[in-house]
Amino acid sequence: MEEDNVLAGAIDIGGTSIKYGVLDNHGKVLTKSKTPTDVKGGGPAILNQVKDLVRALQADHELSGIAVSTAGQINRKEGTVIYATDSLPNYTGLNIKEILESEFGVPVTVDNDVNCAAVGEYWKGAAKQVDQFLCMTLGTGIGGAIVINGEIYDGAAYSAGEFGHMNLYPGGEPCTCGDEGCYERYASSKALSKRARSVIEDYNSLPNLFWRAKNEDKLAESVINRWVDDVALGIKTLVHIFNPPMIVIGGGVSEQGDYLLGKLEQRVNNRIMSSFERSLSIKLAQNGNDANLQGAVYQLLKYMK
Ligand SMILES: [Zn+2]
């Protein structure tokens, strides 16, 4: 796995920014930076941005390959975008792998960002000790990845792990998928900030909401408790289906550490059958923003092996 002298250009394409850097074959981040995604220009413009970034990285480093993590559903065998929402217009259908390989003449791998976060945590973070686990990221929506024996479970169409569209409250809030009452409408971090804004007059940010709750603001704490109840409800279903030894929770809220973890563990354990409780460990992602870059490089190294 960890061949010597491999330097990888790593690119993480999101709906707001593109993070990029150079990592070595041990997952060490040698340099990293970010730039706003050219969402207005859409898919082709974004790929031109990526080419410019790779050229800039190449100026200082001899890259053996390029590892791409990106939003959207990705056929990671072909390196194509199967589907991307309007947050990345004209992105669907692009063959990122082919375009970058013909431009730079080095191996390129492309994978979905939640998959990359998951294998990043497997390689260097919270899931180092286990071979199978679920990874769930709480953000604008809820993403998921299923890791079995250190490999992503793809499903029939590279789309497995859409935990965000489990049905939590049938007939509830409309969802981007066309249905109503999906998990991510209630348990994403976006849902938490929406709920907080509706009941706390001077709400300004999630970190501030957690800060208030930790400092005994009862209203802030009740908003968080209600949200954690919903997060736990989805985890309950996943635990009973998969019986995973570990669930890793990622996304910005994972910065809230033991305060969040304690609440979550308590509520999940209250709901699941006791036989599942003994074998389950819930962890918060450890690698934050680097997990996507590291996971992308992990996939590249495996591909180059
Ligand atoms: Zn949905």
Side-chain angles (χ1 to χ4, degrees):
M1 179 80 224
E2 305 200 353
E3 301 88 354
D4 285 329
N5 304 320
V6 173
L7 288 185
I11 308 279
D12 179 25
I13 305 167
T16 312
S17 62
I18 302 177
K19 301 183 183 91
Y20 58 100
V22 174
L23 280 73
D24 70 11
N25 49 302
H26 303 286
K28 190 175 168 205
V29 181
L30 304 180
T31 159
K32 69 169 174 174
S33 190
K34 68 175 179 177
T35 187
T37 311
D38 184 0
V39 176
K40 243 183 181 168
I46 294 168
L47 268 184
N48 282 335
Q49 269 188 301
V50 169
K51 286 182 195 170
D52 288 343
L53 296 174
V54 172
R55 278 186 212 109
L57 296 175
Q58 270 184 331
D60 295 321
H61 301 275
E62 194 171 326
L63 303 179
S64 307
I66 300 163
V68 180
S69 154
T70 177
Q73 291 178 355
I74 304 299
N75 178 329
R76 55 200 189 90
K77 199 171 165 198
E78 294 173 3
T80 53
V81 182
I82 299 170
Y83 175 74
T85 62
D86 291 342
S87 67
L88 294 172
N90 299 320
Y91 202 55
T92 301
L94 287 181
N95 192 327
I96 300 175
K97 179 180 165 73
E98 201 174 271
I99 292 167
L100 295 182
E101 279 184 346
S102 69
E103 179 79 18
F104 295 104
V106 293
V108 175
T109 50
V110 184
D111 204 345
N112 162 267
D113 48 9
V114 182
N115 288 347
C116 288
V119 293
E121 292 293 332
Y122 173 70
W123 192 25
K124 295 288 165 190
K128 265 193 291 198
Q129 311 300 331
V130 291
D131 269 342
Q132 39 179 321
F133 65 100
L134 303 179
C135 180
M136 186 160 92
T137 55
L138 309 178
T140 311
I142 293 182
I146 303 157
V147 179
I148 301 171
N149 298 327
E151 302 263 357
I152 294 291
Y153 172 74
D154 289 316
Y158 296 92
S159 305
E162 289 280 8
F163 302 155
H165 301 282
M166 294 189 287
N167 217 276
L168 204 65
Y169 298 113
E173 287 187 37
C175 182
T176 50
C177 71
D179 202 357
E180 294 170 337
C182 291
Y183 187 37
E184 68 177 32
R185 306 307 298 173
Y186 301 89
S188 60
S189 56
K190 188 182 176 184
L192 174 59
S193 59
K194 196 177 158 195
R195 192 172 285 171
R197 194 170 291 122
S198 71
V199 296
I200 299 174
E201 213 170 300
D202 57 342
Y203 169 79
N204 58 35
S205 71
L206 285 182
N208 179 258
L209 177 74
F210 277 94
W211 181 85
R212 289 188 196 198
K214 288 171 192 170
N215 287 281
E216 293 172 8
D217 179 329
K218 294 291 170 212
L219 183 57
E221 185 166 35
S222 74
V223 170
I224 290 172
N225 285 347
R226 178 72 214 287
W227 172 76
V228 175
D229 281 338
D230 282 341
V231 177
L233 209 50
I235 291 179
K236 174 204 165 180
T237 298
L238 293 171
V239 166
H240 287 142
I241 295 171
F242 290 98
N243 184 206
M246 184 182 289
I247 293 188
V248 178
I249 310 286
V253 290
S254 59
E255 289 163 11
Q256 298 308 327
D258 289 343
Y259 177 82
L260 173 61
L261 193 59
K263 284 180 181 295
L264 202 51
E265 279 175 335
Q266 189 201 8
R267 283 165 175 77
V268 170
N269 288 338
N270 281 343
R271 286 183 179 277
I272 60 179
M273 290 183 234
S274 57
S275 54
F276 287 82
E277 182 180 337
R278 280 189 291 275
S279 58
L280 176 68
S281 145
I282 301 176
K283 294 216 174 182
L284 299 175
Q286 288 173 359
N287 286 0
N289 287 334
D290 289 344
N292 291 10
L293 296 178
Q294 286 175 323
V297 169
Y298 178 84
Q299 299 295 57
L300 176 70
L301 293 175
K302 218 159 60 170
Y303 174 74
M304 289 171 65
K305 203 176 162 190

PDB file of all heavy atoms in Angstrom, residues 164-165 175-179 182 184, ligand 1:
ATOM      1  N   GLY A 164     -29.438   9.738   3.707  1.00  0.00           N
ATOM      2  CA  GLY A 164     -30.244  10.954   3.873  1.00  0.00           C
ATOM      3  C   GLY A 164     -31.668  10.827   3.376  1.00  0.00           C
ATOM      4  O   GLY A 164     -32.524  11.636   3.729  1.00  0.00           O
ATOM      5  N   HIS A 165     -31.918   9.807   2.568  1.00  0.00           N
ATOM      6  CA  HIS A 165     -33.265   9.680   1.997  1.00  0.00           C
ATOM      7  C   HIS A 165     -34.045   8.504   2.573  1.00  0.00           C
ATOM      8  O   HIS A 165     -35.039   8.062   1.990  1.00  0.00           O
ATOM      9  CB  HIS A 165     -33.195   9.653   0.470  1.00  0.00           C
ATOM     10  CG  HIS A 165     -32.557  10.906  -0.056  1.00  0.00           C
ATOM     11  ND1 HIS A 165     -33.238  12.103  -0.147  1.00  0.00           N
ATOM     12  CD2 HIS A 165     -31.281  11.158  -0.418  1.00  0.00           C
ATOM     13  CE1 HIS A 165     -32.398  13.041  -0.575  1.00  0.00           C
ATOM     14  NE2 HIS A 165     -31.209  12.493  -0.747  1.00  0.00           N
ATOM     15  N   CYS A 175     -38.579  16.963   0.023  1.00  0.00           N
ATOM     16  CA  CYS A 175     -37.133  16.747  -0.103  1.00  0.00           C
ATOM     17  C   CYS A 175     -36.692  16.943  -1.548  1.00  0.00           C
ATOM     18  O   CYS A 175     -37.500  16.844  -2.474  1.00  0.00           O
ATOM     19  CB  CYS A 175     -36.810  15.333   0.371  1.00  0.00           C
ATOM     20  SG  CYS A 175     -35.059  14.937   0.316  1.00  0.00           S
ATOM     21  N   THR A 176     -35.397  17.193  -1.742  1.00  0.00           N
ATOM     22  CA  THR A 176     -34.842  17.365  -3.089  1.00  0.00           C
ATOM     23  C   THR A 176     -35.017  16.114  -3.950  1.00  0.00           C
ATOM     24  O   THR A 176     -34.982  16.181  -5.169  1.00  0.00           O
ATOM     25  CB  THR A 176     -33.332  17.668  -3.029  1.00  0.00           C
ATOM     26  OG1 THR A 176     -32.717  16.681  -2.180  1.00  0.00           O
ATOM     27  CG2 THR A 176     -33.074  19.054  -2.464  1.00  0.00           C
ATOM     28  N   CYS A 177     -35.215  14.946  -3.315  1.00  0.00           N
ATOM     29  CA  CYS A 177     -35.349  13.699  -4.077  1.00  0.00           C
ATOM     30  C   CYS A 177     -36.755  13.526  -4.649  1.00  0.00           C
ATOM     31  O   CYS A 177     -37.007  12.595  -5.406  1.00  0.00           O
ATOM     32  CB  CYS A 177     -34.986  12.496  -3.210  1.00  0.00           C
ATOM     33  SG  CYS A 177     -36.202  12.146  -1.928  1.00  0.00           S
ATOM     34  N   GLY A 178     -37.678  14.418  -4.267  1.00  0.00           N
ATOM     35  CA  GLY A 178     -39.035  14.316  -4.780  1.00  0.00           C
ATOM     36  C   GLY A 178     -40.009  13.710  -3.780  1.00  0.00           C
ATOM     37  O   GLY A 178     -41.219  13.789  -3.954  1.00  0.00           O
ATOM     38  N   ASP A 179     -39.493  13.093  -2.728  1.00  0.00           N
ATOM     39  CA  ASP A 179     -40.365  12.505  -1.706  1.00  0.00           C
ATOM     40  C   ASP A 179     -40.527  13.506  -0.541  1.00  0.00           C
ATOM     41  O   ASP A 179     -40.045  14.634  -0.603  1.00  0.00           O
ATOM     42  CB  ASP A 179     -39.760  11.186  -1.217  1.00  0.00           C
ATOM     43  CG  ASP A 179     -40.801  10.264  -0.573  1.00  0.00           C
ATOM     44  OD1 ASP A 179     -41.980  10.685  -0.463  1.00  0.00           O
ATOM     45  OD2 ASP A 179     -40.441   9.154  -0.173  1.00  0.00           O
ATOM     46  N   CYS A 182     -37.902  12.975   4.361  1.00  0.00           N
ATOM     47  CA  CYS A 182     -36.617  12.258   4.393  1.00  0.00           C
ATOM     48  C   CYS A 182     -35.767  12.680   5.605  1.00  0.00           C
ATOM     49  O   CYS A 182     -35.861  13.800   6.100  1.00  0.00           O
ATOM     50  CB  CYS A 182     -35.826  12.524   3.122  1.00  0.00           C
ATOM     51  SG  CYS A 182     -36.554  11.780   1.667  1.00  0.00           S
ATOM     52  N   GLU A 184     -32.730  13.567   5.932  1.00  0.00           N
ATOM     53  CA  GLU A 184     -31.876  14.750   5.877  1.00  0.00           C
ATOM     54  C   GLU A 184     -32.648  16.054   6.058  1.00  0.00           C
ATOM     55  O   GLU A 184     -32.061  17.076   6.396  1.00  0.00           O
ATOM     56  CB  GLU A 184     -31.037  14.790   4.593  1.00  0.00           C
ATOM     57  CG  GLU A 184     -31.787  15.013   3.314  1.00  0.00           C
ATOM     58  CD  GLU A 184     -30.837  15.098   2.112  1.00  0.00           C
ATOM     59  OE1 GLU A 184     -29.781  14.429   2.136  1.00  0.00           O
ATOM     60  OE2 GLU A 184     -31.148  15.823   1.154  1.00  0.00           O
TER      61      GLU A 184
HETATM   62 ZN    ZN B   1     -35.193  12.613   0.009  1.00  0.00          ZN
END
